[in-house]
Amino acid sequence: MFLDARLWGKAAGLGTGARGAEHTHPLICHLLDTAAVAEVVWDELLTAHQRSVVASALQVSDEQARVLAAFWAGLHDIGKISVPFQLHRGGPKSADKKLLAHELLREPGYGFGAGAQLDGQSHEAAAHWWLVGMFKEIGYPSSRRRPQSQLSHAVAQLLGGHGGRFHSVVYDKDSRCPAARHPGIGVGSWEEQRRIHFDEVRRVLGVKAVPQGRMTPGAAVVLTGLVTLSDWLASITEEIRARLREEGWAGTPEDLDAYWQIARTAAPRLLQQTDLIGTGFSRPPDPDPCVGKTGLGASMARQVPELVAGHGPGMVVVTAPPSEDRTEAALRAAAVLGYAANARGLFYALPTGSAADSHMAQVHAFAEQALTGPWRSLLLHSSSRLKPAEAAQQWAHANAPDGVSAEPGEEWTLTANSWLNSHHRALLAAVGTGTVDELLQAVMPVKFNVMRLFALSGKVVVVDEAHARGAWGQKLMLRFLEWAAALRIPVVLAATAADRSVDAMLAAYRRGTGGGREPMMQPRRSPGWSFVDAQSGGGHLPRQPAGATRASTLDIRAVDGAPYGEIQAALAPMLAAGNGRAAVYRSTPVEAIRTFQQLTQDLPGLEVILVHEQMRNKDRWQRLAVCRTVFAPHGGVSRPSVLVTTSMLEHVRGMHFDLVISGPAPLANLLARAVQSTGDRSRLVVLRADNASELDDAALVRRSDTLLGIGRTVSLPEELPALLDEVYGHELVDRLGETAARELQQLDNERTVRERRGSGTAGWLVVPGPRELDGDLSLLSREHPGLTPDLLSTVLGEEMAHVVCLYPGYDRQGNPVHLLEDELLETKLDRSPKGRPNPSQLVPYLIPVPKGLVEAVEGDANPAWRNMPALNYVLRLNLQREDGKWVHTSSSHRIHMSELGLQIDQLR
């Protein structure tokens, strides 16, 4: 029997032929396309370590491992030779709208029994079920009792997971006759064609090796990533159109050999279009001998390269107060690790999206110095523009003080059409700046979690403020570090101070290496650093500990008066002196707007700048660009200046203040804000009567208030670790009276319950560690009934939505139109002939808000708008003029939009 080229693999978007029938791409062609791309991914994208991990696990040579990887990638969709897939109602149709595959049914061999067409098994699962038996037939190691422990099952399970989830173990009785359990797999010609396609892919690629090794967790991650990425690239519709076969193409062995050469010629171009290849780390420069020897940066610059040269890459842990110097030291360590590991990029993770925004320019500048070859940089977090990616150069240009205009042009344009601009692909970009959530999802049973591990396995990962995630995040971070060590991912962790959570992270990385049994603690002295090598798990402390670059004193004063009155009183000396810079933190955007309006009216001598999260992107960007000038370390200002903001800016770098004013918050948050103040004697004023944020832990807010009392003077950085330890201490309760102690104990108990519940839930939700899989990859994809959006929001932070406000207006012909700016015709909402807006045009006008805040708000989007994937999370609000204000009123909310941002009032 010959190969049947009528069996289709791709059809959507391929157009129609002269007779009106929809074009199809034969399955065998898609399989060969994917195999050809896999060769290039192996050669050009995988690191030397990733390739060696696969070859070592399979017990074959590097060249044999390359051929096997391409062969397996070429088999990924063989489950499409099944009844439900070929006869799917959405499949390719003839001119009279009949399924082309119905032609197969005229032939007896393609018959099938009752229930076959309704079999709910996916084509990915069908590949898994069928390939187990085929690999056993050709000699791959197998086992009746424990199939998951043997290569025949491991490779089949891996290929069945290319859709983002692995499927359960297939036992021997099912692998011998998979159609008995799943009639949709089909017998007769269906079985014959699967075997023919299998044999032809094997023949064309010249596969001769029969591996006898076992699938290690590291090899499984690399091969899953290679197969999935190759499939994605081989599925680019525009490229498939260029390779369509003429009608009647037979798929003979000669045809397949010729097509293989076409596929191999096209494959390099596919990768080149994605900006994924050619990136590496340049050799880091030698430390400057003129730089002092005691500071954190100098200590690490002299000793980290020596440790890495002697022991190989691993994890560097830096504990010091947040500062640009700490960020710089972390990035320099990343450059050393990246060069030693031959890494192909960097991911910089931060606690919040605002922090990621502020760090992106510094990460981008680092990449320009440290990386070689072409590279793409993306911004990755839940509230980044049109989630999840944006080009760094465009973002940096938009934030340049002299590059912001009232009518943004192409500099605002999102890389909306970029192949990388996809939720599951963006981490593949050579340089990413985003939130730690992107890492944590790699060890949660969400779709394509293993692709996240693969994307990170060729990079250096920097985690800034690694401890700032609570019980949930801590548990997940420990599991991520285990996987990072097992995959030999170089990591740099930066934390404010050394504590037990930092020690636990050190232990997790060492555990992932399989070594490092002896205990190790992060030095409690601040600043401090340590190193763990990924080869043995050995811990290494610096011979010459880092000394403080600049000792300073932090004066903390807690005041009890009315918040706004205390803010005025704190700013009065600065106003009288005619100079100075201050930051005022409020608990919500509404409070920030009110404070801005009051200060502007009551203290006209101040330059007051407002920045909060519920502003239009372009307004927030423009104001931050101004802030980077006004509040630069050595920036000159002509009059006293005040920034009014929310907690969104507490992890932002590059802005410095003489005075920081804040409402109640946990001590760690207060200190994160306070370190933005400058000088040998910095000042923090805490407004005790102000509202705390609903997001803050009430027990920690109360403990911090109790610890600080009416004020405290802290020597930085020496006293910082002890101060952070003290806020958790039992002794704190003993200082209080009976009633206050009882109240605090109740809050502590509630926090303990929440943390234990969160840690316990994370414990059953988190995927197994690399040494717990026991060969069963489905444990990485197990679905939990309790994994709800609300639960994900608990650990990853509340899901963000985007609002865009539209104003009524008229075009030059007098026709009613929607405007993106009030009374500015030039910013009308352009539409395509199909009535669809241009997503990139909306980017500057989007307002990120917590999804829960606008969940019940009725928007005004039409079907053409709502059917665009890029706009799924965009809420469109048509505004009306009421009492001199622009508002949108629904049955549950009244929303007011002004130049100060969005204000949302719930009506019921």
Side-chain angles (χ1 to χ4, degrees):
M1 189 173 181
F2 299 107
L3 183 141
D4 192 341
R6 295 173 298 175
L7 295 168
W8 62 280
K10 295 289 180 182
L14 300 183
T16 58
R19 300 180 184 178
E22 294 178 355
H23 285 309
T24 64
H25 195 47
L27 176 62
I28 187 62
C29 293
H30 176 58
L31 300 184
L32 293 176
D33 289 340
T34 308
V37 174
E39 288 186 334
V40 183
V41 171
W42 179 277
D43 293 338
E44 302 291 342
L45 191 65
L46 297 191
T47 65
H49 174 71
Q50 288 173 319
R51 292 193 292 266
S52 69
V53 164
V54 174
S56 176
L58 302 181
Q59 298 179 15
V60 296
S61 68
D62 288 352
E63 183 56 35
Q64 288 172 326
R66 175 184 185 271
V67 174
L68 285 168
F71 171 48
W72 295 337
L75 297 175
H76 76 287
D77 265 353
I78 204 161
K80 287 183 175 180
I81 306 178
S82 59
V83 178
F85 183 86
Q86 291 296 320
L87 297 177
H88 190 276
R89 63 183 181 181
K93 298 177 179 64
S94 61
D96 57 1
K97 303 304 179 184
K98 292 182 180 179
L99 287 175
L100 294 177
H102 273 150
E103 180 183 339
L104 302 175
L105 303 185
R106 301 187 188 129
E107 302 170 16
Y110 284 111
F112 51 84
Q117 198 166 354
L118 300 177
D119 189 350
Q121 188 182 47
S122 66
H123 76 269
E124 295 96 341
H128 176 181
W129 276 62
W130 186 79
L131 284 169
V132 172
M134 276 305 299
F135 288 138
K136 286 162 63 175
E137 279 189 29
I138 64 173
Y140 287 21
S142 61
S143 168
R144 288 189 176 186
R145 296 186 62 187
R146 293 190 50 75
Q148 69 268 33
S149 67
Q150 297 298 325
L151 195 62
S152 57
H153 185 277
V155 178
Q157 189 177 43
L158 183 151
L159 296 179
H162 76 268
R165 291 192 181 278
F166 298 107
H167 303 279
S168 300
V169 172
V170 177
Y171 291 94
D172 188 65
K173 62 179 182 179
D174 291 325
S175 67
R176 287 199 301 267
C177 185
R181 285 280 303 276
H182 287 284
I185 289 179
V187 295
S189 295
W190 300 101
E191 174 69 14
E192 291 174 356
Q193 284 301 318
R194 282 191 295 270
R195 288 178 174 271
I196 292 171
H197 279 67
F198 182 99
D199 291 341
E200 282 299 278
V201 173
R202 194 180 187 199
R203 179 193 65 80
V204 170
L205 270 67
V207 181
K208 294 183 170 44
V210 178
Q212 296 300 309
R214 297 183 64 175
M215 188 66 68
T216 63
V221 168
V222 173
L223 287 168
T224 298
L226 176 141
V227 170
T228 306
L229 175 57
S230 300
D231 178 35
W232 288 347
L233 290 166
S235 300
I236 296 175
T237 303
E238 295 77 11
E239 293 292 335
I240 293 176
R241 288 199 198 106
R243 299 192 300 276
L244 286 176
R245 301 295 86 196
E246 65 277 4
E247 192 173 337
W249 183 75
T252 64
E254 294 76 17
D255 290 337
L256 298 183
D257 291 337
Y259 186 81
W260 176 235
Q261 299 309 314
I262 293 172
R264 293 181 101 181
T265 301
R269 183 176 69 251
L270 291 172
L271 260 78
Q272 288 164 1
Q273 291 176 351
T274 65
D275 297 325
L276 287 178
I277 58 176
T279 307
F281 276 83
S282 58
R283 183 181 184 88
D286 293 329
D288 187 345
C290 298
V291 176
K293 298 181 180 181
T294 59
L296 175 66
S299 173
M300 292 178 62
R302 285 176 171 78
Q303 297 177 77
V304 170
E306 181 182 320
L307 287 170
V308 173
H311 302 280
M315 181 171 76
V316 174
V317 180
V318 186
T319 44
S323 66
E324 291 178 288
D325 291 339
R326 190 186 75 178
T327 301
E328 190 64 30
L331 287 171
R332 285 176 183 165
V336 173
L337 294 170
Y339 179 73
N342 293 313
R344 54 164 298 274
L346 170 89
F347 183 73
Y348 199 105
L350 294 127
T352 66
S354 300
D357 290 350
S358 74
H359 279 68
M360 194 170 188
Q362 189 172 4
V363 174
H364 189 80
F366 163 79
E368 288 182 326
Q369 298 296 318
L371 296 183
T372 60
W375 48 273
R376 173 70 63 85
S377 178
L378 298 181
L379 182 64
L380 302 167
H381 59 79
S382 62
S383 59
S384 59
R385 333 314 161 210
L386 286 184
K387 169 178 167 179
E390 185 186 49
Q393 280 184 307
Q394 294 160 354
W395 188 94
H397 180 59
N399 279 273
D402 57 352
V404 179
S405 62
E407 300 178 29
E410 288 302 314
E411 67 268 20
W412 297 107
T413 301
L414 168 77
T415 52
N417 297 321
S418 165
W419 183 86
L420 282 173
N421 188 19
S422 158
H423 183 58
H424 299 305
R425 299 173 192 159
L427 269 178
L428 291 164
V431 179
T433 309
T435 53
V436 72
D437 305 338
E438 301 294 335
L439 307 181
L440 301 187
Q441 289 178 77
V443 291
M444 297 174 68
V446 296
K447 201 171 184 182
F448 290 110
N449 58 345
V450 175
M451 274 304 292
R452 290 177 177 273
L453 287 174
F454 169 72
L456 296 166
S457 68
K459 294 190 178 73
V460 180
V461 173
V462 180
V463 186
D464 204 329
E465 297 299 337
H467 57 294
R469 298 299 298 180
W472 257 105
Q474 174 76 359
K475 191 87 171 183
L476 294 170
M477 178 58 74
L478 297 181
R479 185 52 47 86
F480 170 75
L481 291 173
E482 281 186 56
W483 274 99
L487 296 171
R488 300 295 189 265
I489 299 174
V491 175
V492 181
L493 295 182
T496 297
D499 59 13
R500 286 177 296 176
S501 69
V502 175
D503 295 340
M505 287 186 266
L506 275 168
Y509 195 86
R510 301 176 80 204
R511 187 163 59 248
T513 67
R517 303 297 180 188
E518 68 282 358
M520 178 182 175
M521 289 177 60
Q522 178 72 4
R524 291 311 193 247
R525 174 176 174 172
S526 183
W529 64 273
S530 63
F531 173 70
V532 175
D533 72 82
Q535 189 65 37
S536 69
H540 309 273
L541 299 177
R543 294 189 315 277
Q544 299 173 337
T549 305
R550 178 180 61 85
S552 64
T553 301
L554 171 62
D555 281 335
I556 305 175
R557 184 164 59 93
V559 293
D560 293 311
Y564 180 66
E566 296 288 5
I567 291 172
Q568 280 188 302
L571 295 176
M574 194 174 77
L575 186 62
N579 60 61
R581 299 171 295 183
V584 179
Y585 281 88
R586 305 312 315 269
S587 59
T588 65
V590 171
E591 289 291 332
I593 291 172
R594 184 181 297 121
T595 301
F596 170 81
Q597 292 171 325
Q598 291 172 320
L599 289 176
T600 303
Q601 177 180 328
D602 297 342
L603 303 177
L606 286 179
E607 178 181 7
V608 187
I609 302 171
L610 173 69
V611 180
H612 62 83
E613 54 267 41
Q614 287 175 205
M615 290 178 146
R616 296 184 302 184
N617 281 336
K618 76 185 191 77
D619 295 335
R620 190 172 61 257
W621 293 338
Q622 288 170 335
R623 289 166 188 248
L624 283 172
V626 172
C627 288
R628 271 187 283 276
T629 298
V630 173
F631 303 109
H634 306 291
V637 290
S638 57
R639 57 177 176 156
S641 303
V642 177
L643 169 64
V644 180
T645 187
T646 63
S647 61
M648 67 169 285
L649 291 188
E650 69 186 19
H651 295 292
V652 168
R653 307 279 193 273
M655 292 186 288
H656 297 261
F657 307 95
D658 304 309
L659 169 68
V660 175
I661 304 170
S662 172
L667 183 62
N669 301 67
L670 291 174
L671 292 173
R673 300 168 190 179
V675 296
Q676 295 173 325
S677 56
T678 57
D680 295 333
R681 198 169 190 89
S682 50
R683 294 186 294 148
L684 169 67
V685 173
V686 181
L687 310 171
R688 301 181 71 179
D690 199 9
N691 297 318
S693 170
E694 293 180 358
L695 300 177
D696 289 334
D697 184 278
L700 289 179
V701 172
R702 180 75 64 85
R703 280 179 161 271
S704 301
D705 179 68
T706 303
L707 176 66
L708 295 177
I710 62 171
R712 187 157 180 164
T713 300
V714 184
S715 295
L716 297 176
E718 291 82 7
E719 294 183 2
L720 183 60
L723 188 65
L724 290 170
D725 281 341
E726 191 177 349
V727 79
Y728 288 96
H730 296 295
E731 299 80 7
L732 201 62
V733 181
D734 299 335
R735 304 181 191 175
L736 304 175
E738 183 179 349
T739 302
R742 189 165 52 249
E743 290 176 356
L744 180 54
Q745 191 64 58
Q746 177 63 31
L747 292 174
D748 281 342
N749 291 341
E750 292 172 2
R751 174 168 56 86
T752 300
V753 169
R754 281 195 303 273
E755 288 184 349
R756 287 181 178 174
R757 184 187 300 130
S759 181
T761 305
W764 63 255
L765 180 62
V766 69
V767 302
R771 302 181 189 285
E772 301 166 7
L773 285 182
D774 196 25
D776 183 7
L777 299 180
S778 70
L779 296 178
L780 298 174
S781 300
R782 57 186 182 185
E783 294 193 53
H784 294 284
L787 185 56
T788 63
D790 288 342
L791 187 62
L792 283 175
S793 295
T794 301
V795 61
L796 301 179
E798 186 169 3
E799 187 176 355
M800 303 300 290
H802 290 89
V803 170
V804 61
C805 293
L806 300 176
Y807 299 83
Y810 296 90
D811 62 16
R812 291 186 176 88
Q813 288 73 42
N815 301 314
V817 292
H818 292 106
L819 306 178
L820 289 165
E821 295 268 19
D822 180 18
E823 299 179 353
L824 286 180
L825 184 61
E826 291 77 7
T827 58
K828 71 179 181 180
L829 183 60
D830 293 332
R831 293 179 175 276
S832 69
K834 294 184 179 180
R836 295 186 171 194
N838 177 1
S840 63
Q841 184 193 13
L842 298 178
V843 171
Y845 299 92
L846 295 179
I847 304 169
V849 296
K851 194 174 181 182
L853 201 60
V854 294
E855 202 118 45
V857 176
E858 299 92 1
D860 302 294
N862 56 32
W865 175 293
R866 191 55 62 220
N867 290 335
M868 295 184 70
L871 302 181
N872 276 344
Y873 297 97
V874 176
L875 179 67
R876 164 181 156 160
L877 302 178
N878 291 338
L879 302 179
Q880 300 297 326
R881 196 80 169 174
E882 293 181 10
D883 301 326
K885 297 180 178 180
W886 285 111
V887 299
H888 175 94
T889 305
S890 69
S891 59
S892 58
H893 291 74
R894 186 175 188 272
I895 299 175
H896 168 221
M897 181 63 193
S898 71
E899 71 279 1
L900 302 182
L902 196 71
Q903 298 181 65
I904 303 172
D905 297 320
Q906 193 163 341
L907 300 179
R908 58 175 173 82

